PDB file of all heavy atoms in Angstrom:
ATOM      1  N   THR A   1     127.086  84.363 180.426  1.00 73.00           N
ATOM      2  CA  THR A   1     126.029  85.362 180.235  1.00 73.00           C
ATOM      3  C   THR A   1     126.063  86.014 178.880  1.00 73.00           C
ATOM      4  O   THR A   1     125.401  87.044 178.605  1.00 73.00           O
ATOM      5  CB  THR A   1     126.189  86.384 181.353  1.00 73.00           C
ATOM      6  OG1 THR A   1     127.522  87.065 181.147  1.00 73.00           O
ATOM      7  CG2 THR A   1     126.125  85.932 182.749  1.00 73.00           C
ATOM      8  N   GLY A   2     126.916  85.600 177.974  1.00 79.00           N
ATOM      9  CA  GLY A   2     127.068  86.267 176.640  1.00 79.00           C
ATOM     10  C   GLY A   2     128.166  87.218 176.724  1.00 79.00           C
ATOM     11  O   GLY A   2     128.781  87.606 177.767  1.00 79.00           O
ATOM     12  N   GLU A   3     128.425  87.902 175.499  1.00 85.00           N
ATOM     13  CA  GLU A   3     129.598  88.841 175.429  1.00 85.00           C
ATOM     14  C   GLU A   3     129.159  90.279 175.560  1.00 85.00           C
ATOM     15  O   GLU A   3     130.012  91.127 175.505  1.00 85.00           O
ATOM     16  CB  GLU A   3     130.155  88.639 174.050  1.00 85.00           C
ATOM     17  CG  GLU A   3     130.821  87.250 173.940  1.00 85.00           C
ATOM     18  CD  GLU A   3     131.607  87.094 172.508  1.00 85.00           C
ATOM     19  OE1 GLU A   3     131.599  88.084 171.733  1.00 85.00           O
ATOM     20  OE2 GLU A   3     132.294  86.048 172.429  1.00 85.00           O
ATOM     21  N   ASP A   4     127.911  90.572 175.798  1.00 85.00           N
ATOM     22  CA  ASP A   4     127.442  92.056 175.818  1.00 85.00           C
ATOM     23  C   ASP A   4     128.277  92.864 176.841  1.00 85.00           C
ATOM     24  O   ASP A   4     128.768  93.933 176.579  1.00 85.00           O
ATOM     25  CB  ASP A   4     126.060  92.187 176.100  1.00 85.00           C
ATOM     26  CG  ASP A   4     125.151  91.790 174.934  1.00 85.00           C
ATOM     27  OD1 ASP A   4     125.807  91.602 173.813  1.00 85.00           O
ATOM     28  OD2 ASP A   4     123.901  91.790 174.905  1.00 85.00           O
ATOM     29  N   GLN A   5     128.412  92.269 178.086  1.00 83.00           N
ATOM     30  CA  GLN A   5     129.209  93.015 179.116  1.00 83.00           C
ATOM     31  C   GLN A   5     130.643  93.170 178.785  1.00 83.00           C
ATOM     32  O   GLN A   5     131.152  94.298 178.988  1.00 83.00           O
ATOM     33  CB  GLN A   5     129.166  92.142 180.352  1.00 83.00           C
ATOM     34  CG  GLN A   5     129.937  92.795 181.562  1.00 83.00           C
ATOM     35  CD  GLN A   5     129.853  91.968 182.873  1.00 83.00           C
ATOM     36  OE1 GLN A   5     129.179  91.195 182.975  1.00 83.00           O
ATOM     37  NE2 GLN A   5     130.895  92.254 183.708  1.00 83.00           N
ATOM     38  N   LEU A   6     131.178  92.231 178.154  1.00 85.00           N
ATOM     39  CA  LEU A   6     132.559  92.376 177.719  1.00 85.00           C
ATOM     40  C   LEU A   6     132.705  93.401 176.630  1.00 85.00           C
ATOM     41  O   LEU A   6     133.720  94.151 176.670  1.00 85.00           O
ATOM     42  CB  LEU A   6     133.084  90.987 177.277  1.00 85.00           C
ATOM     43  CG  LEU A   6     134.603  90.803 177.175  1.00 85.00           C
ATOM     44  CD1 LEU A   6     135.198  90.962 178.600  1.00 85.00           C
ATOM     45  CD2 LEU A   6     134.997  89.428 176.592  1.00 85.00           C
ATOM     46  N   TRP A   7     131.840  93.472 175.668  1.00 88.00           N
ATOM     47  CA  TRP A   7     132.033  94.467 174.591  1.00 88.00           C
ATOM     48  C   TRP A   7     131.722  95.832 175.151  1.00 88.00           C
ATOM     49  O   TRP A   7     132.286  96.825 174.679  1.00 88.00           O
ATOM     50  CB  TRP A   7     131.023  94.157 173.504  1.00 88.00           C
ATOM     51  CG  TRP A   7     131.460  92.923 172.646  1.00 88.00           C
ATOM     52  CD1 TRP A   7     130.934  91.754 172.474  1.00 88.00           C
ATOM     53  CD2 TRP A   7     132.516  93.130 171.652  1.00 88.00           C
ATOM     54  NE1 TRP A   7     131.728  90.983 171.662  1.00 88.00           N
ATOM     55  CE2 TRP A   7     132.684  91.759 171.096  1.00 88.00           C
ATOM     56  CE3 TRP A   7     133.464  94.023 171.327  1.00 88.00           C
ATOM     57  CZ2 TRP A   7     133.656  91.435 170.095  1.00 88.00           C
ATOM     58  CZ3 TRP A   7     134.488  93.855 170.330  1.00 88.00           C
ATOM     59  CH2 TRP A   7     134.475  92.506 169.805  1.00 88.00           C
ATOM     60  N   ARG A   8     130.781  96.004 176.078  1.00 89.00           N
ATOM     61  CA  ARG A   8     130.631  97.284 176.636  1.00 89.00           C
ATOM     62  C   ARG A   8     131.729  97.853 177.441  1.00 89.00           C
ATOM     63  O   ARG A   8     132.119  98.973 177.266  1.00 89.00           O
ATOM     64  CB  ARG A   8     129.345  97.211 177.625  1.00 89.00           C
ATOM     65  CG  ARG A   8     127.990  97.344 176.974  1.00 89.00           C
ATOM     66  CD  ARG A   8     126.893  97.620 178.021  1.00 89.00           C
ATOM     67  NE  ARG A   8     126.846  96.644 179.116  1.00 89.00           N
ATOM     68  CZ  ARG A   8     126.077  95.527 178.928  1.00 89.00           C
ATOM     69  NH1 ARG A   8     125.290  95.241 177.993  1.00 89.00           N
ATOM     70  NH2 ARG A   8     126.165  94.688 180.039  1.00 89.00           N
ATOM     71  N   TYR A   9     132.377  96.871 178.158  1.00 89.00           N
ATOM     72  CA  TYR A   9     133.563  97.183 178.875  1.00 89.00           C
ATOM     73  C   TYR A   9     134.673  97.608 177.872  1.00 89.00           C
ATOM     74  O   TYR A   9     135.398  98.673 178.087  1.00 89.00           O
ATOM     75  CB  TYR A   9     134.056  96.017 179.634  1.00 89.00           C
ATOM     76  CG  TYR A   9     135.424  96.092 180.218  1.00 89.00           C
ATOM     77  CD1 TYR A   9     135.701  96.912 181.337  1.00 89.00           C
ATOM     78  CD2 TYR A   9     136.521  95.400 179.589  1.00 89.00           C
ATOM     79  CE1 TYR A   9     137.005  97.011 181.876  1.00 89.00           C
ATOM     80  CE2 TYR A   9     137.881  95.484 180.187  1.00 89.00           C
ATOM     81  CZ  TYR A   9     137.959  96.247 181.210  1.00 89.00           C
ATOM     82  OH  TYR A   9     139.293  96.383 181.737  1.00 89.00           O
ATOM     83  N   ASN A  10     134.816  96.920 176.816  1.00 89.00           N
ATOM     84  CA  ASN A  10     135.867  97.246 175.831  1.00 89.00           C
ATOM     85  C   ASN A  10     135.558  98.622 175.217  1.00 89.00           C
ATOM     86  O   ASN A  10     136.469  99.419 174.957  1.00 89.00           O
ATOM     87  CB  ASN A  10     135.916  96.154 174.722  1.00 89.00           C
ATOM     88  CG  ASN A  10     136.905  96.361 173.697  1.00 89.00           C
ATOM     89  OD1 ASN A  10     136.687  96.947 172.610  1.00 89.00           O
ATOM     90  ND2 ASN A  10     138.169  96.005 173.908  1.00 89.00           N
ATOM     91  N   CYS A  11     134.383  98.871 174.828  1.00 92.00           N
ATOM     92  CA  CYS A  11     133.956 100.197 174.236  1.00 92.00           C
ATOM     93  C   CYS A  11     134.192 101.306 175.212  1.00 92.00           C
ATOM     94  O   CYS A  11     134.668 102.339 174.768  1.00 92.00           O
ATOM     95  CB  CYS A  11     132.509 100.082 173.822  1.00 92.00           C
ATOM     96  SG  CYS A  11     131.838 101.568 172.936  1.00 92.00           S
ATOM     97  N   GLN A  12     133.913 101.106 176.516  1.00 93.00           N
ATOM     98  CA  GLN A  12     134.098 102.117 177.515  1.00 93.00           C
ATOM     99  C   GLN A  12     135.560 102.405 177.648  1.00 93.00           C
ATOM    100  O   GLN A  12     135.976 103.609 177.625  1.00 93.00           O
ATOM    101  CB  GLN A  12     133.602 101.745 178.807  1.00 93.00           C
ATOM    102  CG  GLN A  12     133.429 102.909 179.733  1.00 93.00           C
ATOM    103  CD  GLN A  12     132.512 102.569 181.055  1.00 93.00           C
ATOM    104  OE1 GLN A  12     131.929 101.499 181.025  1.00 93.00           O
ATOM    105  NE2 GLN A  12     132.342 103.500 181.892  1.00 93.00           N
ATOM    106  N   ASP A  13     136.421 101.413 177.620  1.00 93.00           N
ATOM    107  CA  ASP A  13     137.946 101.586 177.633  1.00 93.00           C
ATOM    108  C   ASP A  13     138.284 102.486 176.353  1.00 93.00           C
ATOM    109  O   ASP A  13     139.079 103.431 176.692  1.00 93.00           O
ATOM    110  CB  ASP A  13     138.537 100.223 177.556  1.00 93.00           C
ATOM    111  CG  ASP A  13     139.171  99.662 178.815  1.00 93.00           C
ATOM    112  OD1 ASP A  13     138.718 100.118 179.782  1.00 93.00           O
ATOM    113  OD2 ASP A  13     139.977  98.718 178.691  1.00 93.00           O
ATOM    114  N   ALA A  14     137.845 102.202 175.272  1.00 95.00           N
ATOM    115  CA  ALA A  14     138.238 103.030 174.078  1.00 95.00           C
ATOM    116  C   ALA A  14     137.850 104.382 174.150  1.00 95.00           C
ATOM    117  O   ALA A  14     138.579 105.309 173.824  1.00 95.00           O
ATOM    118  CB  ALA A  14     137.625 102.230 172.802  1.00 95.00           C
ATOM    119  N   VAL A  15     136.598 104.560 174.528  1.00 95.00           N
ATOM    120  CA  VAL A  15     136.056 106.050 174.565  1.00 95.00           C
ATOM    121  C   VAL A  15     136.821 106.778 175.675  1.00 95.00           C
ATOM    122  O   VAL A  15     137.178 107.969 175.376  1.00 95.00           O
ATOM    123  CB  VAL A  15     134.475 106.010 174.924  1.00 95.00           C
ATOM    124  CG1 VAL A  15     133.959 107.388 175.275  1.00 95.00           C
ATOM    125  CG2 VAL A  15     133.714 105.364 173.717  1.00 95.00           C
ATOM    126  N   ILE A  16     137.093 106.169 176.823  1.00 96.00           N
ATOM    127  CA  ILE A  16     137.808 106.892 177.846  1.00 96.00           C
ATOM    128  C   ILE A  16     139.230 107.214 177.447  1.00 96.00           C
ATOM    129  O   ILE A  16     139.769 108.309 177.599  1.00 96.00           O
ATOM    130  CB  ILE A  16     137.744 106.131 179.195  1.00 96.00           C
ATOM    131  CG1 ILE A  16     136.331 106.189 179.745  1.00 96.00           C
ATOM    132  CG2 ILE A  16     138.809 106.655 180.138  1.00 96.00           C
ATOM    133  CD1 ILE A  16     136.088 105.308 180.903  1.00 96.00           C
ATOM    134  N   THR A  17     139.874 106.285 176.676  1.00 96.00           N
ATOM    135  CA  THR A  17     141.196 106.543 176.257  1.00 96.00           C
ATOM    136  C   THR A  17     141.241 107.688 175.243  1.00 96.00           C
ATOM    137  O   THR A  17     142.214 108.529 175.318  1.00 96.00           O
ATOM    138  CB  THR A  17     141.614 105.305 175.417  1.00 96.00           C
ATOM    139  OG1 THR A  17     141.795 104.182 176.387  1.00 96.00           O
ATOM    140  CG2 THR A  17     143.136 105.484 174.970  1.00 96.00           C
ATOM    141  N   PHE A  18     140.219 107.752 174.395  1.00 96.00           N
ATOM    142  CA  PHE A  18     140.129 108.887 173.429  1.00 96.00           C
ATOM    143  C   PHE A  18     139.940 110.217 174.153  1.00 96.00           C
ATOM    144  O   PHE A  18     140.631 111.184 173.840  1.00 96.00           O
ATOM    145  CB  PHE A  18     138.976 108.643 172.471  1.00 96.00           C
ATOM    146  CG  PHE A  18     138.803 109.626 171.336  1.00 96.00           C
ATOM    147  CD1 PHE A  18     139.725 109.497 170.234  1.00 96.00           C
ATOM    148  CD2 PHE A  18     137.998 110.682 171.433  1.00 96.00           C
ATOM    149  CE1 PHE A  18     139.637 110.374 169.215  1.00 96.00           C
ATOM    150  CE2 PHE A  18     137.980 111.569 170.366  1.00 96.00           C
ATOM    151  CZ  PHE A  18     138.769 111.384 169.197  1.00 96.00           C
ATOM    152  N   GLU A  19     139.051 110.226 175.219  1.00 97.00           N
ATOM    153  CA  GLU A  19     138.844 111.556 175.989  1.00 97.00           C
ATOM    154  C   GLU A  19     140.166 111.903 176.640  1.00 97.00           C
ATOM    155  O   GLU A  19     140.499 113.065 176.697  1.00 97.00           O
ATOM    156  CB  GLU A  19     137.697 111.380 176.860  1.00 97.00           C
ATOM    157  CG  GLU A  19     137.377 112.679 177.607  1.00 97.00           C
ATOM    158  CD  GLU A  19     136.117 112.531 178.517  1.00 97.00           C
ATOM    159  OE1 GLU A  19     135.524 111.522 178.595  1.00 97.00           O
ATOM    160  OE2 GLU A  19     135.814 113.526 179.243  1.00 97.00           O
ATOM    161  N   VAL A  20     140.801 110.921 177.284  1.00 97.00           N
ATOM    162  CA  VAL A  20     141.976 111.254 178.084  1.00 97.00           C
ATOM    163  C   VAL A  20     143.071 111.760 177.195  1.00 97.00           C
ATOM    164  O   VAL A  20     143.759 112.756 177.423  1.00 97.00           O
ATOM    165  CB  VAL A  20     142.478 109.915 178.730  1.00 97.00           C
ATOM    166  CG1 VAL A  20     143.984 110.101 179.214  1.00 97.00           C
ATOM    167  CG2 VAL A  20     141.654 109.549 179.919  1.00 97.00           C
ATOM    168  N   ALA A  21     143.231 111.181 175.960  1.00 97.00           N
ATOM    169  CA  ALA A  21     144.307 111.664 175.005  1.00 97.00           C
ATOM    170  C   ALA A  21     144.028 113.143 174.656  1.00 97.00           C
ATOM    171  O   ALA A  21     145.023 113.862 174.592  1.00 97.00           O
ATOM    172  CB  ALA A  21     144.170 110.814 173.772  1.00 97.00           C
ATOM    173  N   ALA A  22     142.865 113.499 174.457  1.00 96.00           N
ATOM    174  CA  ALA A  22     142.630 114.955 174.043  1.00 96.00           C
ATOM    175  C   ALA A  22     142.996 115.934 175.057  1.00 96.00           C
ATOM    176  O   ALA A  22     143.656 116.961 174.786  1.00 96.00           O
ATOM    177  CB  ALA A  22     141.134 115.118 173.705  1.00 96.00           C
ATOM    178  N   VAL A  23     142.766 115.590 176.431  1.00 97.00           N
ATOM    179  CA  VAL A  23     143.054 116.387 177.485  1.00 97.00           C
ATOM    180  C   VAL A  23     144.562 116.453 177.764  1.00 97.00           C
ATOM    181  O   VAL A  23     145.221 117.436 177.952  1.00 97.00           O
ATOM    182  CB  VAL A  23     142.359 116.083 178.770  1.00 97.00           C
ATOM    183  CG1 VAL A  23     142.762 116.931 179.956  1.00 97.00           C
ATOM    184  CG2 VAL A  23     140.876 116.075 178.580  1.00 97.00           C
ATOM    185  N   GLU A  24     145.229 115.273 177.636  1.00 97.00           N
ATOM    186  CA  GLU A  24     146.672 115.139 177.768  1.00 97.00           C
ATOM    187  C   GLU A  24     147.466 115.995 176.762  1.00 97.00           C
ATOM    188  O   GLU A  24     148.426 116.638 177.077  1.00 97.00           O
ATOM    189  CB  GLU A  24     147.006 113.696 177.585  1.00 97.00           C
ATOM    190  CG  GLU A  24     146.838 112.844 178.894  1.00 97.00           C
ATOM    191  CD  GLU A  24     147.312 111.479 178.767  1.00 97.00           C
ATOM    192  OE1 GLU A  24     147.385 111.003 177.575  1.00 97.00           O
ATOM    193  OE2 GLU A  24     147.801 110.866 179.721  1.00 97.00           O
ATOM    194  N   GLN A  25     146.943 115.932 175.547  1.00 96.00           N
ATOM    195  CA  GLN A  25     147.564 116.651 174.451  1.00 96.00           C
ATOM    196  C   GLN A  25     147.599 118.236 174.818  1.00 96.00           C
ATOM    197  O   GLN A  25     148.576 118.983 174.522  1.00 96.00           O
ATOM    198  CB  GLN A  25     147.071 116.385 173.159  1.00 96.00           C
ATOM    199  CG  GLN A  25     147.337 115.009 172.547  1.00 96.00           C
ATOM    200  CD  GLN A  25     148.889 114.591 172.633  1.00 96.00           C
ATOM    201  OE1 GLN A  25     149.679 115.241 172.108  1.00 96.00           O
ATOM    202  NE2 GLN A  25     149.059 113.596 173.348  1.00 96.00           N
ATOM    203  N   ALA A  26     146.526 118.618 175.232  1.00 96.00           N
ATOM    204  CA  ALA A  26     146.381 120.094 175.746  1.00 96.00           C
ATOM    205  C   ALA A  26     147.358 120.394 176.876  1.00 96.00           C
ATOM    206  O   ALA A  26     148.030 121.445 176.845  1.00 96.00           O
ATOM    207  CB  ALA A  26     145.018 120.503 176.025  1.00 96.00           C
ATOM    208  N   ASN A  27     147.466 119.442 177.767  1.00 96.00           N
ATOM    209  CA  ASN A  27     148.427 119.600 178.816  1.00 96.00           C
ATOM    210  C   ASN A  27     149.788 119.671 178.441  1.00 96.00           C
ATOM    211  O   ASN A  27     150.635 120.495 178.957  1.00 96.00           O
ATOM    212  CB  ASN A  27     148.155 118.460 179.907  1.00 96.00           C
ATOM    213  CG  ASN A  27     147.038 118.667 180.781  1.00 96.00           C
ATOM    214  OD1 ASN A  27     146.329 119.646 180.701  1.00 96.00           O
ATOM    215  ND2 ASN A  27     146.733 117.660 181.624  1.00 96.00           N
ATOM    216  N   VAL A  28     150.217 118.759 177.543  1.00 97.00           N
ATOM    217  CA  VAL A  28     151.528 118.791 176.950  1.00 97.00           C
ATOM    218  C   VAL A  28     151.939 120.032 176.377  1.00 97.00           C
ATOM    219  O   VAL A  28     152.994 120.585 176.692  1.00 97.00           O
ATOM    220  CB  VAL A  28     151.752 117.743 175.875  1.00 97.00           C
ATOM    221  CG1 VAL A  28     152.997 117.806 175.116  1.00 97.00           C
ATOM    222  CG2 VAL A  28     151.585 116.267 176.539  1.00 97.00           C
ATOM    223  N   ASP A  29     151.001 120.607 175.707  1.00 97.00           N
ATOM    224  CA  ASP A  29     151.312 122.022 175.135  1.00 97.00           C
ATOM    225  C   ASP A  29     151.441 123.163 176.167  1.00 97.00           C
ATOM    226  O   ASP A  29     152.291 123.915 176.156  1.00 97.00           O
ATOM    227  CB  ASP A  29     150.294 122.384 173.970  1.00 97.00           C
ATOM    228  CG  ASP A  29     150.434 121.570 172.754  1.00 97.00           C
ATOM    229  OD1 ASP A  29     151.665 121.160 172.396  1.00 97.00           O
ATOM    230  OD2 ASP A  29     149.516 121.145 172.145  1.00 97.00           O
ATOM    231  N   SER A  30     150.492 123.083 177.075  1.00 97.00           N
ATOM    232  CA  SER A  30     150.437 124.157 178.163  1.00 97.00           C
ATOM    233  C   SER A  30     151.655 124.117 179.035  1.00 97.00           C
ATOM    234  O   SER A  30     152.082 125.064 179.538  1.00 97.00           O
ATOM    235  CB  SER A  30     149.136 124.007 178.940  1.00 97.00           C
ATOM    236  OG  SER A  30     149.033 122.890 179.728  1.00 97.00           O
ATOM    237  N   MET A  31     152.242 122.856 179.217  1.00 96.00           N
ATOM    238  CA  MET A  31     153.368 122.782 180.141  1.00 96.00           C
ATOM    239  C   MET A  31     154.613 122.811 179.244  1.00 96.00           C
ATOM    240  O   MET A  31     155.734 122.635 179.812  1.00 96.00           O
ATOM    241  CB  MET A  31     153.305 121.336 180.730  1.00 96.00           C
ATOM    242  CG  MET A  31     152.057 121.110 181.656  1.00 96.00           C
ATOM    243  SD  MET A  31     151.841 119.355 182.356  1.00 96.00           S
ATOM    244  CE  MET A  31     153.233 119.185 183.392  1.00 96.00           C
ATOM    245  N   ARG A  32     154.453 123.135 178.003  1.00 97.00           N
ATOM    246  CA  ARG A  32     155.775 123.267 177.178  1.00 97.00           C
ATOM    247  C   ARG A  32     156.583 122.066 177.109  1.00 97.00           C
ATOM    248  O   ARG A  32     157.846 122.059 177.324  1.00 97.00           O
ATOM    249  CB  ARG A  32     156.516 124.559 177.520  1.00 97.00           C
ATOM    250  CG  ARG A  32     155.723 125.832 177.363  1.00 97.00           C
ATOM    251  CD  ARG A  32     156.553 126.975 177.499  1.00 97.00           C
ATOM    252  NE  ARG A  32     157.192 127.014 178.895  1.00 97.00           N
ATOM    253  CZ  ARG A  32     156.577 127.563 179.918  1.00 97.00           C
ATOM    254  NH1 ARG A  32     155.311 127.970 179.921  1.00 97.00           N
ATOM    255  NH2 ARG A  32     157.183 127.516 181.101  1.00 97.00           N
ATOM    256  N   LEU A  33     156.012 120.912 176.989  1.00 97.00           N
ATOM    257  CA  LEU A  33     156.582 119.627 176.902  1.00 97.00           C
ATOM    258  C   LEU A  33     156.471 118.878 175.580  1.00 97.00           C
ATOM    259  O   LEU A  33     156.561 117.603 175.523  1.00 97.00           O
ATOM    260  CB  LEU A  33     156.116 118.704 178.016  1.00 97.00           C
ATOM    261  CG  LEU A  33     156.451 119.097 179.418  1.00 97.00           C
ATOM    262  CD1 LEU A  33     155.682 118.298 180.491  1.00 97.00           C
ATOM    263  CD2 LEU A  33     158.020 118.897 179.701  1.00 97.00           C
ATOM    264  N   ARG A  34     156.193 119.554 174.567  1.00 97.00           N
ATOM    265  CA  ARG A  34     155.805 118.985 173.208  1.00 97.00           C
ATOM    266  C   ARG A  34     157.128 118.252 172.686  1.00 97.00           C
ATOM    267  O   ARG A  34     156.896 117.038 172.262  1.00 97.00           O
ATOM    268  CB  ARG A  34     155.405 119.986 172.271  1.00 97.00           C
ATOM    269  CG  ARG A  34     155.185 119.498 170.848  1.00 97.00           C
ATOM    270  CD  ARG A  34     154.091 118.400 170.669  1.00 97.00           C
ATOM    271  NE  ARG A  34     152.892 118.703 171.354  1.00 97.00           N
ATOM    272  CZ  ARG A  34     151.954 117.766 171.441  1.00 97.00           C
ATOM    273  NH1 ARG A  34     152.076 116.467 171.139  1.00 97.00           N
ATOM    274  NH2 ARG A  34     150.762 118.206 172.038  1.00 97.00           N
ATOM    275  N   GLU A  35     158.218 118.817 172.819  1.00 97.00           N
ATOM    276  CA  GLU A  35     159.353 118.070 172.232  1.00 97.00           C
ATOM    277  C   GLU A  35     159.699 116.800 172.984  1.00 97.00           C
ATOM    278  O   GLU A  35     160.062 115.704 172.508  1.00 97.00           O
ATOM    279  CB  GLU A  35     160.583 119.016 172.290  1.00 97.00           C
ATOM    280  CG  GLU A  35     161.917 118.457 171.648  1.00 97.00           C
ATOM    281  CD  GLU A  35     163.079 119.433 171.669  1.00 97.00           C
ATOM    282  OE1 GLU A  35     162.882 120.551 171.912  1.00 97.00           O
ATOM    283  OE2 GLU A  35     164.225 118.928 171.425  1.00 97.00           O
TER     284      GLU A  35
END
């Protein structure tokens, strides 16, 4: 069927990873677990 579905899936993985990382970093600081 071509690669469009695979590239969309890959792009979604990347965008979600980026969003998750931002929230996690805020959690790390609020939980005082930076070190």
Side-chain angles (χ1 to χ4, degrees):
T1 64
E3 294 186 354
D4 284 355
Q5 179 185 340
L6 200 60
W7 283 110
R8 280 196 302 271
Y9 168 75
N10 180 267
C11 183
Q12 194 164 356
D13 259 15
V15 171
I16 288 172
T17 299
F18 188 80
E19 184 177 354
V20 166
V23 181
E24 280 185 331
Q25 292 307 303
N27 281 357
V28 166
D29 288 327
S30 67
M31 296 172 73
R32 299 190 298 279
L33 289 169
R34 175 56 58 186
E35 184 177 346

